[in-house]
Amino acid sequence: REIAVPERVERVVVAGTALYTEVLVDIDALPLLVGVTDSPDNPPEVAEVPTVGPSFPAPYLELIVALEPDVVFGAVFDVRDQLEAAGLVVVTPVGFLTSLDGLLGLIETVGHVVDRRAQAAELVGRITREVVAVESAVVQEAPVRAAFLFASADNPPFASGKGSLEAELLARAGG
């Protein structure tokens, strides 16, 4: 769906996963961040940026609204609906990443919204080159049995399965 974003974005809140925060830092948009979700995966560069609660089950909407962002990245489902009802612009290129193409598209979209297109293109290029280098290094090797496990504080770890970004990356790396 189309979303009208301000011509000049100066205040950004991440209401989704730390991936959005990482991308914004990697494309030199750290000065725009006025709020991020709590995550151990946040880059150290955002240690002084105010937090708006966890991305799951949901960030604190009142904190996000109070920060008066031009754009909110990553909100999904009810959180997205509530933020839009409060008059905020919410950009979530994909709800769940299922492929490398989805990740690269997310980076390009974030770069476009915050006017860091060149930096986003450079990041996409760097990631693509690194993936190709790994693929080239293992193309002649026999596949290795591998699993991508997500740790959980309360439950046993769980594996990422077929149709996920992690499964694609494992396959490209010879798994």
Side-chain angles (χ1 to χ4, degrees), residues 6-167:
E7 192 170 311
R8 185 168 170 88
V9 173
E10 297 177 346
R11 299 177 61 79
V12 172
V13 169
V14 171
T17 68
L19 172 62
Y20 289 95
T21 304
E22 293 176 63
V23 168
L24 287 159
V25 168
D26 286 348
I27 63 172
D28 300 324
L30 177 61
L32 305 178
L33 278 170
V34 296
V36 297
T37 50
D38 295 321
S39 174
D41 296 325
N42 277 339
E45 293 90 342
V46 300
E48 301 301 315
V49 176
T51 58
V52 295
S55 61
F56 182 81
Y60 306 121
L61 302 177
E62 300 83 10
L63 290 177
I64 296 171
V65 172
L67 290 169
E68 300 179 357
D70 298 316
V71 173
V72 177
F73 282 111
V76 294
F77 308 126
D78 292 345
V79 173
R80 178 188 188 119
D81 295 340
Q82 293 170 2
L83 290 171
E84 288 178 335
L88 298 179
V89 174
V90 180
V91 177
T92 305
V94 293
F96 297 98
L97 285 176
T98 58
S99 68
L100 181 58
D101 283 343
L103 172 62
L104 301 178
L106 180 145
I107 293 167
E108 289 172 338
T109 299
V110 170
H112 178 78
V113 169
V114 298
D115 197 24
R116 300 292 197 284
R117 290 172 191 84
Q119 295 92 329
E122 192 280 322
L123 179 58
V124 165
R126 188 171 73 235
I127 291 169
T128 302
R129 287 188 300 277
E130 289 174 9
V131 168
V132 169
V134 169
E135 287 175 324
S136 298
V138 301
V139 71
Q140 299 296 325
E141 304 293 325
V144 176
R145 290 179 53 93
F148 190 100
L149 300 177
F150 288 95
S152 171
D154 305 325
N155 298 304
F158 60 95
S160 182
K162 185 178 179 180
S164 68
L165 170 62
E166 296 81 9

